[in-house]
Amino acid sequence: MQFNQVLENVTTYEAGKPIELVVREYGVNPKDVIKLASNENPYGTSPKVIEKIQELAKNMFVYPDDSMYELKEALAKKFDVTNKHVIVGSGSDQILEYCVHAKCEKDSKILMAKTTFAMYEIYGKQTGAKIIKTDDDQHNLEQFSKLYKEHGADVIFLCLPNNPLGECLDKDDVYAFLETVDKETLVVVDGAYQEYASFKDEKKRIVAKDLIANFPNAIYLGTFSKAYALGGMRVGYGIAQPEIINTLYKLRAPFNITTLTLAAAIEALKDEEFVNTCIAKNFEEMKRYEEYAISKGFEYIPSYTNFITIKFGDKFVSKTVAQKLLERGVIVRDLTGYGQNAIRITIGRNEQNTKVFEQLDEVLQNLK
């Protein structure tokens, strides 16, 4: 059977391994598995959200409000915009897909960092677009500027902070770069981890309202999957000028968000205290990983997210380390597929992190 030729060059996204796989393949007790590969909030969902979902579970037979009025109003209030500036998707990655398909076709150009969220390239290649990457793994705006002057771009992806590495550009530097970008280029600022970056360093904070006011060709993306701990509910959003939002809506299928997902996201926005508490704990625990890496002589990338990237240099092979940890019930993300001899570890709860250090010590000792 013949399929669209552009799909021949598209790789399948590999998600973090689920707990069920570890239990099934390695016989680990489910209670002993520590999953720190998908950057979920290890403190779980706000109790207020859980209570609301339990209350509304009886309504799951009813189609959701396809206008998403309540959630859009809540997001508009949070970001000090109108609901005409808001689009909601099944995770922010669905809106990434809308952005690419709205702007790109065969031979369009997409500019991104060498090592960044894999779906940018996957969605781009689905349209036949040409992918242009910087030489540096981390975001380097000098290289972005150079490549943009040489090639131009229909879409630019800026992941702030960057997944899977964790670094983050300063807002002022980002704005200076955007001043040089043609208004026909769609700039996608992926803020999936912005809650963490803003908490750690005010210089990293991207204010969606200011971004789209200064750069009407930009769209800010956010998600409820990380700090708001709704990864399993699949809900994200975009903030942009109405012209962009109205165009993206042409790509949206009806009822792309569930009844319970809408309720969960609306309730989650009401519990900012829970979110801020989780973020504060995250950075307290991250210090332990930084100290651990230093004690072992490993390089790590200073992170503005809820994960940390630890590089092994020529000391160990990350794929082997990740596999040995997996067999012990500790799930981390091997970054070999991103061209990195490194692992990415979601910052867990205190007791989880203690166990990770213990298991990692044993694995490294056995690999010497």
Side-chain angles (χ1 to χ4, degrees):
M1 183 181 291
Q2 294 294 316
F3 294 101
N4 192 325
Q5 266 193 320
V6 299
L7 297 180
E8 293 178 4
N9 296 318
V10 176
T11 57
T12 302
Y13 181 81
E14 183 180 345
K17 291 180 171 57
I19 292 174
E20 293 79 3
L21 179 145
V22 179
V23 173
R24 184 172 62 248
E25 295 193 3
Y26 303 109
V28 180
N29 188 316
K31 295 180 180 179
D32 295 330
V33 178
I34 299 176
K35 185 187 177 190
L36 299 178
S38 300
N39 305 335
E40 297 145 332
N41 186 329
Y43 302 101
T45 306
S46 161
K48 295 179 181 178
V49 174
I50 295 172
E51 183 179 349
K52 176 60 69 172
I53 293 302
Q54 290 172 337
E55 174 191 331
L56 297 178
K58 62 182 181 294
N59 293 335
M60 67 177 70
F61 72 99
V62 180
Y63 278 115
D65 170 13
D66 197 47
S67 74
M68 306 181 199
Y69 178 81
E70 271 194 87
L71 178 55
K72 287 171 65 178
E73 282 292 306
L75 286 166
K77 182 178 179 181
K78 174 180 173 64
F79 289 101
D80 192 22
V81 295
T82 73
N83 62 17
K84 294 180 180 180
H85 294 88
V86 181
I87 185 170
V88 176
S90 179
S92 57
D93 52 336
Q94 185 176 58
I95 303 170
L96 292 173
E97 183 179 16
Y98 296 163
C99 290
V100 172
H101 283 272
K103 281 292 292 182
C104 295
E105 54 190 359
K106 191 176 186 300
D107 297 326
S108 295
K109 297 172 183 176
I110 300 176
L111 176 59
M112 66 186 71
K114 178 182 177 182
T115 303
T116 192
F117 186 42
M119 291 308 301
Y120 303 158
E121 182 171 358
I122 291 173
Y123 286 139
K125 286 185 174 179
Q126 287 174 0
T127 69
K130 179 181 178 182
I131 308 300
I132 302 169
K133 295 183 178 183
T134 61
D135 293 329
D136 281 4
D137 290 309
Q138 299 183 36
H139 280 60
N140 182 323
L141 289 178
E142 288 186 10
Q143 289 187 12
F144 268 87
S145 295
K146 179 175 179 291
L147 291 170
Y148 187 70
K149 287 176 183 176
E150 289 176 359
H151 304 283
D154 297 277
V155 177
I156 297 174
F157 281 111
L158 295 174
C159 195
L160 307 173
N162 187 27
N163 177 27
L165 300 181
E167 87 281 1
C168 190
L169 296 170
D170 285 354
K171 182 207 73 174
D172 289 348
D173 294 335
V174 172
Y175 277 27
F177 168 65
L178 294 185
E179 291 284 359
T180 70
V181 174
D182 186 272
K183 300 309 178 188
E184 284 300 310
T185 298
L186 178 63
V187 178
V188 181
V189 175
D190 187 347
Y193 298 89
Q194 257 294 310
E195 288 87 357
Y196 294 95
S198 301
F199 184 95
K200 184 175 182 179
D201 187 346
E202 187 66 26
K203 291 186 296 184
K204 312 297 182 184
R205 183 186 296 274
I206 302 292
V207 178
K209 180 182 179 180
D210 293 342
L211 175 72
I212 67 173
N214 286 291
F215 308 102
N217 57 318
I219 181 170
Y220 175 92
L221 302 187
T223 184
F224 287 89
S225 296
K226 308 306 178 185
Y228 286 91
L230 295 179
M233 299 301 278
R234 308 305 304 126
V235 57
Y237 54 87
I239 310 290
Q241 293 295 345
E243 178 190 10
I244 294 175
I245 297 298
N246 293 338
T247 300
L248 299 185
Y249 258 101
K250 296 178 180 181
L251 295 161
R252 188 187 75 90
F255 308 119
N256 62 320
I257 298 297
T258 73
T259 299
L260 296 184
T261 294
L262 284 172
I266 292 165
E267 201 65 29
L269 285 173
K270 299 176 184 177
D271 198 358
E272 293 288 346
E273 182 181 354
F274 171 82
V275 173
N276 290 330
T277 298
C278 292
I279 294 174
K281 290 179 180 178
N282 171 79
F283 286 115
E284 282 299 314
E285 288 298 311
M286 186 181 289
K287 293 175 185 175
R288 300 178 66 196
Y289 280 92
E290 294 171 347
E291 292 167 359
Y292 182 86
I294 291 170
S295 72
K296 299 294 182 182
F298 300 144
E299 181 184 350
Y300 69 88
I301 298 175
S303 176
Y304 295 87
T305 65
N306 66 342
F307 62 82
I308 189 167
T309 297
I310 296 177
K311 299 183 175 184
F312 293 119
D314 57 1
K315 296 181 173 68
F316 298 95
V317 177
S318 65
K319 189 171 186 178
T320 303
V321 174
Q323 177 60 33
K324 294 299 183 183
L325 286 172
L326 187 68
E327 293 168 8
R328 291 165 170 261
V330 177
I331 312 174
V332 299
R333 192 64 180 264
D334 170 40
L335 297 185
T336 300
Y338 286 89
Q340 304 284 312
N341 184 31
I343 57 174
R344 188 192 70 188
I345 307 176
T346 304
I347 308 300
R349 301 188 305 274
N350 180 273
E351 66 276 13
Q352 291 178 313
N353 299 327
T354 296
K355 184 175 179 181
V356 170
F357 299 139
E358 293 171 353
Q359 295 292 338
L360 190 50
D361 274 343
E362 291 185 18
V363 165
L364 298 178
Q365 184 62 39
N366 291 338
L367 290 175
K368 282 185 177 179

